[in-house]
Amino acid sequence: MKTFHPLFLLLLLSFTLEGQGNKDLLKLDAPMITGVAPQPLLAQAKRISEALVYIGNPLSLEATEQLQALSHKALDENTVQAIQHILDPYCLAVIDINPEARVKVALGPAQTELLQEGWKSFLVKVHNQANVTARLEVESPNALPVLHRSSSQPRMKEENSLSIGQVQNRFLEVAMYEDRPMKPQLSGLALEYAIVQVYTRTSGEKEVQLAFNVGPGTQDIGFRNTIDILFDTKPSVKVTLNVKDHDGTPAMASFIFMDGIDHFKSSDADHPFPNDYRLLMARHMDWEKGAGSWNALSEERLPKEKRLRGIYPLPARRLAWTDEYPDFFFQPQVYRADGEHIYLPPGDYTVIYTRGPEYLEQQKRIHVPTESTEMTVDFALKRWTHMTQLGWYSGDHHIHAAGCSHYESPEEGVQPEHMWRQVLGEDLNFGSNLTWGPCWYYQKEYFTGKIHPLSTDQHLLRYDVEVSGFPSSHAGHLVLMNLQEDDYPNTTLIEEWPTWTLPILQWAKKQDGVVGYAHSGWGLEPIEATTALPNYVLPKMDGIGANEYVVTVTHDAVDLFSLGDTPPGWELNMWYHTLNCGFRVRASGETDFPCISDEKVGRARIYAQLDEGLDFADFMQATKAGRSYVSTGEAHLIDFKVNELMLGEQDSELSVAKGSKLKISVKASAFLEPEQDEIGAIIASRNLAQSPYWHIEKSRIGLSRRVPVELIVNGEAVAVQEIEADGDWQSLTFDYTLDRSSWVAIRVLPTAHTNPIFVLADGEAIQDKRSAEWCLKAVDQCWDMKSKRFREEEMAEAEKAYEHARQVYRALMR
């Protein structure tokens, strides 16, 4: 007859299990495993206890004390039995790996309760007869993706289509917890425990199927590696948000709710809830084009089970199509208006909240009590500047509701109402929602040639077109705004559009469109590396940015040049050279959300000066006239004048005598935190060709709070003054003696840039021989790279247009 150590009998009699229902009845269904080395099993059990504390689902106090007591007693078979009696009641599954490494699973004794929008941790008991040291994997059909990511096709692929029934059955997220102090692989010990984490977004009774394996082909036959579990999911606490703007009016704002669990650990004990998602983004910003984003972090760099699960609601289970609020799965933040709510499990949270770059980012700690079903939390937003009060309105001329990070199924992208929340939540006065190749035929139904009815007197949304995913895309993606018709003449399919950009630009301009190139820098990287600006190194012309712009600008077919979402040196060099040749294309700011940046809309913006308040037609006119500047919103340059001529007046043209002394003035403000944090230091260490491309931390002078404000003449920085980036407005003046006709601008590189004022000396045109020569060579380079993809029937017209550009630049050289 088996005898037990007196300590074990004492533990068994005194054992209680928190949260397991009837605490007077100990339920032990898991089989006892014998012949296990007690010391490594006890060490592993203690790691289990520590990990459960860290991830917010600790063992009961009694169970923890019992494990600690075992550390001071003799280690023998009784220790092995006692550990199993302590931990087995927490086990959701009991796994047997037979000597052939086949996995068989049985239901464990743990109480099958979950919490809406919350994580619950369970133990898994592993009898490892094969001494396998592979990773223990868990899968569930209920944890399959709730969407199919964009495949960049004009129509949804039928094989990617998800039905409403499929989506409703995918309510779960499940993962093995493998972070420290746990280990990713099994130890090979005959007995050990693992932690499985389960999240569900719904409440009520749900049946879940879980399957376990230790690698391909290890599943036992007859579905014996799966278990079916009926979970009862309890409702979480409904947290209503009172969101007030700086003036006390109701507002929509951006919120990140974090519980601090399952992030990388902070070394700062005083800040247990760091902005881990931002630290991680900063650490991984050296990926290829379009990286450094939340989506790239969560989907590509980090394996599924290591995604940041301490953010609520869980990004992986968000779906704009069916959720009460259309939260995007690729963003850490959600947007909530005054009076709206979020469901949170009981616990402690740090909330990061703000509303675009003109607001301060604030943090608040909140406690959600166990005994509550509803609660209300107040959030008061704070501005550091308010540009609309000064007559300057922000816009992002390049955002999308489909493609890239969006999905094509169960719906083909997201709806206007969903994009509208993004615009409001970032206080973007104008959002130009461009329909493009992905989901083109579905999304184009939202185009009306008018502003969307959701628009208000302070915020506008309008659908227009980006020519991307079309036959001409190789020569440069096009932004087409203010269209009255979105189908190119005599076409019904994307494939029928032209294979080069000039005819499309000319067609759009005939209907009073405001047009230009998107994400200008792609393809304009210098063939030889250089940091000079301007530089005279030939661009590669191998991308989808403003490549053919060097041709079409000579045909008066371009209104705007996009800045803000690609390396500023690549963008600005092309723009500067064409300004030096006398062309007057104005700069505008864009994000290309959610492609180049899925962090938020309006990460780079155009700020347009409007005298009569926000009006779409006036915004378009200000964009074309250059009564504007580009900014990330963290630095501002207004009241820019040359000899009292204000930017945007008289077509921004000033006539003076050669040799005149110019008086140049501008009001500047910027905002940096007084001390650079870890994120800022990482960003500041990156060059202008590394993401994030435009950011005020790259403007910070050393570790100070100052940034440089530069006077630019014909692309050259000819003077600089420093300002304190404390949010205060500072009036600056520069003196410059003009020796030839020139264009003049102000910049804070790489965070803000004004449009130019054109100063004509003795009536002469602005022209620079070296820039014209550079442009001429760029035309030839563009032809060599692009012409191979022109249709044969379009070749003669394209050759003629390119030759026209060459003749223009040759004339300027003379």
Side-chain angles (χ1 to χ4, degrees):
M1 181 176 178
K2 183 71 175 179
T3 60
F4 294 99
H5 195 284
L7 173 62
F8 169 72
L9 295 175
L10 177 63
L11 291 174
L12 182 59
L13 290 172
S14 64
F15 178 77
T16 60
L17 189 59
E18 184 177 271
Q20 295 297 317
N22 187 348
K23 296 184 179 181
D24 296 324
L25 179 62
L26 185 63
K27 181 183 177 183
L28 290 175
D29 296 335
M32 288 288 112
I33 309 301
T34 60
V36 179
Q39 190 276 333
L41 179 62
L42 180 58
Q44 203 261 343
K46 291 167 69 175
R47 286 200 304 275
I48 286 282
S49 179
E50 293 171 0
L52 289 172
V53 170
Y54 177 60
I55 59 180
N57 288 139
L59 300 173
S60 68
L61 178 61
E62 294 86 349
T64 303
E65 291 175 346
Q66 290 159 7
L67 281 178
Q68 290 296 330
L70 290 176
S71 301
H72 303 287
K73 303 300 179 181
L75 299 176
D76 52 25
E77 180 60 26
N78 290 324
T79 308
V80 174
Q81 298 291 305
I83 290 171
Q84 294 178 74
H85 279 285
I86 294 169
L87 297 184
D88 281 2
Y90 292 89
C91 290
L92 184 65
V94 179
I95 297 174
D96 183 80
I97 306 174
N98 72 16
E100 289 75 37
R102 293 285 185 177
V103 176
K104 181 173 64 177
V105 184
L107 185 64
Q111 187 172 349
T112 53
E113 281 189 357
L114 298 175
L115 190 59
Q116 177 192 13
E117 297 287 6
W119 286 97
K120 182 69 178 291
S121 297
F122 298 93
L123 297 187
V124 175
K125 186 174 185 178
V126 183
H127 183 199
N128 190 354
Q129 300 181 63
N131 304 119
V132 170
T133 57
R135 292 176 64 182
L136 179 63
E137 304 279 1
V138 61
E139 298 173 329
S140 172
N142 308 107
L144 291 171
V146 294
L147 49 87
H148 193 284
R149 293 282 298 276
S150 174
S151 60
S152 299
Q153 299 302 309
R155 287 191 175 93
M156 182 196 303
K157 291 184 175 181
E158 186 161 346
E159 62 267 27
N160 296 340
S161 177
L162 294 174
S163 68
I164 181 64
Q166 287 176 302
V167 171
Q168 289 178 339
N169 198 45
R170 299 177 180 188
F171 50 83
L172 198 74
E173 188 78 4
V174 60
M176 302 304 300
Y177 182 78
E178 298 174 345
D179 290 344
R180 294 182 179 180
M182 301 301 292
K183 296 180 179 180
Q185 288 85 24
L186 293 173
S187 67
L189 196 66
L191 171 63
E192 64 181 290
Y193 292 84
I195 300 173
V196 62
Q197 293 186 298
V198 182
Y199 173 100
T200 182
R201 54 193 294 265
T202 60
S203 60
E205 290 186 329
K206 297 286 184 181
E207 182 171 292
V208 169
Q209 184 180 93
L210 296 182
F212 294 86
N213 68 80
V214 289
T218 61
Q219 300 90 337
D220 205 351
I221 60 174
F223 306 102
R224 288 192 288 181
N225 72 308
T226 66
I227 51 175
D228 298 299
I229 309 169
L230 181 63
F231 280 106
D232 182 16
T233 305
K234 304 302 182 184
S236 279
V237 179
K238 182 179 180 180
V239 181
T240 299
L241 312 179
N242 284 341
V243 188
K244 298 299 187 291
D245 210 342
H246 67 105
D247 57 1
T249 58
M252 177 87 74
S254 163
F255 294 90
I256 299 176
F257 294 87
M258 300 191 300
D259 65 6
I261 296 171
D262 204 16
H263 293 89
F264 286 104
K265 293 182 180 179
S266 171
S267 59
D268 188 348
D270 294 330
H271 299 281
F273 298 98
N275 298 356
D276 293 297
Y277 80 97
R278 296 176 64 201
L279 288 170
L280 282 166
M281 283 195 290
R283 287 170 182 151
H284 293 281
M285 280 174 184
D286 57 347
W287 309 328
E288 296 178 355
K289 180 186 72 175
S293 63
W294 171 258
N295 172 58
L297 169 67
S298 62
E299 295 288 337
E300 296 171 15
R301 275 310 228 213
L302 293 180
K304 178 180 178 182
E305 61 272 19
K306 288 184 178 292
R307 295 178 196 167
L308 301 184
R309 299 193 292 269
I311 292 178
Y312 294 83
L314 182 69
R317 292 294 123 188
R318 298 178 190 174
L319 183 60
W321 182 52
T322 59
D323 286 351
E324 183 173 15
Y325 298 116
D327 303 323
F328 290 175
F329 71 95
F330 51 82
Q331 294 177 316
Q333 76 269 21
V334 297
Y335 294 98
R336 294 290 185 271
D338 182 58
E340 295 183 342
H341 63 269
I342 184 173
Y343 287 100
L344 293 174
D348 295 309
Y349 299 86
T350 289
V351 186
I352 302 173
Y353 61 103
T354 186
R355 195 187 182 216
E358 296 179 30
Y359 287 77
L360 298 176
E361 185 179 271
Q362 301 181 79
Q363 292 192 19
K364 173 178 281 194
R365 292 289 301 276
I366 65 171
H367 175 71
V368 179
T370 305
E371 61 274 10
S372 296
T373 58
E374 295 188 22
M375 63 179 292
T376 300
V377 183
D378 296 330
F379 294 94
L381 300 169
K382 294 181 181 179
R383 285 182 174 270
W384 69 269
T385 193
H386 195 177
M387 297 308 299
T388 59
Q389 284 191 346
L390 302 175
W392 293 86
Y393 293 82
S394 63
D396 185 341
H397 71 240
H398 188 174
I399 62 179
H400 296 298
C404 293
S405 295
H406 284 304
Y407 47 83
E408 71 176 17
S409 179
E411 214 174 45
E412 295 187 66
V414 299
Q415 299 171 7
E417 293 78 7
H418 306 161
M419 296 301 293
W420 180 240
R421 295 175 70 88
Q422 300 273 323
V423 169
L424 288 181
E426 295 298 331
D427 193 33
L428 184 67
N429 300 118
F430 167 56
S432 182
N433 205 24
L434 304 181
T435 301
W436 62 309
C439 304
W440 164 259
Y441 300 103
Y442 177 89
Q443 286 287 327
K444 76 188 302 294
E445 298 304 314
Y446 294 119
F447 174 84
T448 64
K450 301 176 182 178
I451 63 170
H452 196 277
L454 287 168
S455 301
T456 68
D457 60 353
Q458 289 297 307
H459 300 89
L460 304 177
L461 180 69
R462 183 184 152 112
Y463 276 72
D464 270 306
V465 172
E466 180 192 2
V467 182
S468 169
F470 289 67
S472 64
S473 297
H474 66 101
H477 292 185
L478 300 177
V479 172
L480 309 180
M481 293 188 291
N482 199 39
L483 296 180
Q484 303 307 308
E485 171 58 57
D486 64 342
D487 282 318
Y488 191 79
N490 303 314
T491 67
T492 57
L493 300 173
I494 282 176
E495 293 78 9
E496 298 169 348
W497 284 52
T499 56
W500 61 307
T501 62
L502 180 60
I504 300 172
L505 292 168
Q506 291 173 330
W507 159 73
K509 284 184 69 65
K510 284 180 181 178
Q511 52 179 307
D512 203 26
V514 179
V515 303
Y517 288 81
H519 37 70
S520 301
W522 297 144
L524 301 184
E525 179 183 5
I527 290 176
E528 298 174 2
T530 177
T531 59
L533 189 62
N535 67 73
Y536 298 89
V537 181
L538 198 62
K540 292 181 177 180
M541 292 292 187
D542 60 353
I544 54 175
N547 292 203
E548 213 166 45
Y549 162 80
V550 73
V551 176
T552 58
V553 70
T554 69
H555 292 264
D556 193 26
V558 186
D559 299 309
L560 64 88
F561 191 94
S562 298
L563 300 179
D565 58 355
T566 54
W570 305 357
E571 297 171 342
L572 293 173
N573 196 56
M574 173 67 85
W575 186 47
Y576 285 179
H577 281 307
T578 57
L579 291 175
N580 287 349
C581 290
F583 299 108
R584 297 192 178 185
V585 174
R586 271 42 176 228
S588 182
E590 67 169 24
T591 302
D592 194 8
F593 172 90
C595 295
I596 292 178
S597 169
D598 56 14
E599 181 187 354
K600 61 187 71 172
V601 302
R603 186 64 190 85
R605 309 174 172 213
I606 176 178
Y607 278 86
Q609 187 176 29
L610 307 178
D611 296 331
E612 302 297 329
L614 183 60
D615 176 81
F616 175 72
D618 289 347
F619 202 104
M620 290 294 96
Q621 181 57 37
T623 300
K624 291 177 65 174
R627 194 166 63 251
S628 58
Y629 61 94
V630 175
S631 174
T632 60
E634 299 147 325
H636 298 276
L637 302 167
I638 66 172
D639 297 350
F640 170 40
K641 301 177 184 178
V642 178
N643 287 4
E644 298 305 314
L645 177 76
M646 184 75 74
L647 177 67
E649 294 179 352
Q650 302 174 21
D651 198 31
S652 298
E653 182 180 301
L654 175 67
S655 295
V656 299
K658 189 178 295 186
S660 296
K661 289 187 177 180
L662 304 181
K663 183 177 181 180
I664 299 148
S665 60
V666 67
K667 288 180 66 176
S669 71
F671 187 83
L672 277 167
E673 293 295 336
E675 295 185 5
Q676 189 178 67
D677 61 11
E678 181 181 354
I679 303 163
I682 294 170
I683 293 171
S685 69
R686 299 181 177 275
N687 63 46
L688 295 185
Q690 292 178 300
S691 176
Y693 308 110
W694 287 67
H695 199 286
I696 194 170
E697 281 291 354
K698 292 186 175 182
S699 307
R700 189 192 289 264
I701 298 172
L703 296 178
S704 73
R705 204 185 185 186
R706 299 188 306 277
V707 297
V709 180
E710 296 177 300
L711 173 64
I712 307 301
V713 178
N714 293 337
E716 302 280 355
V718 297
V720 62
Q721 296 186 41
E722 296 178 6
I723 65 169
E724 197 76 10
D726 56 7
D728 290 341
W729 287 103
Q730 300 176 52
S731 297
L732 306 178
T733 59
F734 298 88
D735 294 320
Y736 183 78
T737 300
L738 193 75
D739 61 356
R740 59 179 176 135
S741 295
S742 303
W743 60 270
V744 181
I746 304 290
R747 76 183 183 200
V748 179
L749 191 68
T751 186
H753 202 302
T754 72
N755 268 298
I757 292 177
F758 305 96
V759 185
L760 304 186
D762 294 339
E764 295 179 353
I766 298 172
Q767 57 187 52
D768 180 272
K769 181 177 180 180
R770 289 191 70 193
S771 287
E773 183 179 11
W774 182 90
C775 289
L776 178 60
K777 292 178 180 178
V779 171
D780 291 337
Q781 176 75 356
C782 191
W783 177 264
D784 289 344
M785 297 298 292
K786 308 301 182 185
S787 62
K788 300 178 184 64
R789 298 181 64 177
F790 296 163
R791 287 195 194 100
E792 184 177 352
E793 60 268 29
E794 296 175 282
M795 187 64 74
E797 195 64 29
E799 286 179 332
K800 182 179 176 181
Y802 271 70
E803 184 56 31
H804 167 82
R806 293 186 185 97
Q807 293 299 331
V808 168
Y809 294 122
R810 288 183 185 124
L812 288 169
M813 289 169 60
R814 290 192 296 269

